[in-house]
Amino acid sequence: MQLEELESLSEQIAKHICQQIISGELVEGERIQELRIAKELDVSRGSVREALLLLERTHLIHIYPRRGAIVAEMSAQQVRALFDTSTMVLGYFVQRMSETWRSHEAEALQQLLLHLTEQVKQGNTEKFYDAIFQHLAVQHDMVSNPYLMKFYKELLPSIRRSYFLTLNTSRRELQESLELFKLVIDAILIRKSQQATLFMEDFCRHLRNLVLESLTRMKQIELAWARRSRR
């Protein structure tokens, strides 16, 4: 891995570990080995510790005295809590966007919709959801709430970790996600803030259900392998 110069070293290390958790290379309950990461990236253990403190804010890990950093569990209860929280935050975001957008921001939303349509055609689930949640993360001017924006950005890695589980869902389900989010954009563009909020809730509920279904399948496979290994 070649570390970039635009971010601090600890931020780059945190991003590297974050991606390993999101992709499943580091699994829930696994202890993060500072020495291994330090050797892997050719950095000091002090830099890795700083990165872990940054990563703890994203809820992907827990840091315990004498035990170190442990990858956080992903349970159905936690997925529901994550989406309950995200839905409230994003509902406020689209409400504010409906009330405050200007012409160049409306054009950006229309371009986003074209991009999302192309990702659905290609069946690229990860890029589809990345485009939506990253677009919402940069709407500082329209949202005008730096505290809530900061909170949302800290939730983003956990949101990404959740929808990474849906990469094998069907094209039909991805198309349904597109149709639901198109309703959000249409409501924003006609300044129907309450409708935009309700449609955002529908979109988040749909994605939450896909994540829960994928999580259930994954847990069933893990259980089947555990039973087989005990024979």
Side-chain angles (χ1 to χ4, degrees):
M1 172 188 171
Q2 184 175 358
L3 297 177
E4 300 173 1
E5 297 180 357
L6 298 177
E7 300 171 313
S8 71
L9 181 59
S10 56
E11 287 172 334
Q12 294 172 61
I13 297 168
K15 184 179 289 186
H16 175 72
I17 301 169
C18 174
Q19 188 56 40
Q20 289 188 329
I21 295 171
I22 287 170
S23 64
E25 292 178 56
L26 290 170
V27 299
E28 60 180 44
E30 183 173 352
R31 183 175 177 275
I32 298 175
Q33 300 177 28
E34 295 176 5
L35 184 58
R36 177 187 66 79
I37 293 171
K39 288 182 177 179
E40 182 181 324
L41 301 181
D42 193 23
V43 296
S44 70
R45 290 188 69 174
S47 296
V48 175
R49 289 193 190 100
E50 289 178 12
L52 292 174
L53 290 172
L54 291 175
L55 199 57
E56 189 178 27
R57 300 175 189 170
T58 69
H59 313 284
L60 289 179
I61 67 169
H62 301 299
I63 299 177
Y64 300 99
R66 296 182 297 279
R67 290 180 60 196
I70 307 294
V71 178
E73 180 189 15
M74 182 185 285
S75 66
Q77 181 179 358
Q78 286 164 320
V79 168
R80 290 189 183 95
L82 173 65
F83 277 93
D84 285 347
T85 306
S86 302
T87 300
M88 288 189 287
V89 173
L90 294 176
Y92 176 80
F93 280 15
V94 298
Q95 175 190 329
R96 291 290 298 145
M97 292 166 69
S98 303
E99 296 165 349
T100 60
W101 65 259
R102 294 162 293 179
S103 58
H104 69 280
E105 291 157 337
E107 290 171 8
L109 283 170
Q110 291 165 341
Q111 288 299 315
L112 173 63
L113 185 57
L114 292 174
H115 176 72
L116 294 175
T117 302
E118 185 59 31
Q119 298 311 312
V120 171
K121 288 179 181 177
Q122 295 178 15
N124 199 326
T125 301
E126 185 179 8
K127 287 186 177 180
F128 173 84
Y129 288 116
D130 277 349
I132 291 173
F133 290 105
Q134 292 295 336
H135 184 86
L136 292 169
V138 296
Q139 303 311 316
H140 302 85
D141 290 342
M142 285 192 283
V143 173
S144 298
N145 189 322
Y147 305 105
L148 206 53
M149 187 65 73
K150 180 177 183 293
F151 177 62
Y152 171 63
K153 287 181 179 179
E154 290 174 350
L155 285 179
L156 262 181
S158 290
I159 296 172
R160 287 199 72 226
R161 185 189 186 192
S162 70
Y163 65 69
F164 198 88
L165 295 177
T166 71
L167 298 191
N168 293 322
T169 54
S170 70
R171 186 77 60 88
R172 176 186 58 80
E173 288 164 333
L174 191 58
Q175 179 66 39
E176 187 173 346
S177 290
L178 172 63
E179 291 167 2
L180 288 170
F181 196 72
K182 183 178 184 300
L183 293 174
V184 177
I185 292 179
D186 289 345
I188 291 172
L189 294 178
I190 60 174
R191 298 197 188 277
K192 297 287 187 180
S193 59
Q194 290 185 336
Q195 286 185 10
T197 299
L198 291 173
F199 289 141
M200 192 71 211
E201 289 174 1
D202 289 341
F203 171 79
C204 289
R205 189 179 303 112
H206 174 70
L207 178 54
R208 180 203 65 192
N209 291 341
L210 292 180
V211 172
L212 288 172
E213 290 168 9
S214 299
L215 183 64
T216 298
R217 285 195 296 269
M218 184 186 75
K219 299 291 186 184
Q220 288 171 342
I221 292 170
E222 289 177 354
L223 181 60
W225 274 106
R227 285 173 176 169
R228 180 175 296 183
S229 65
R230 288 198 296 267
R231 291 176 183 173

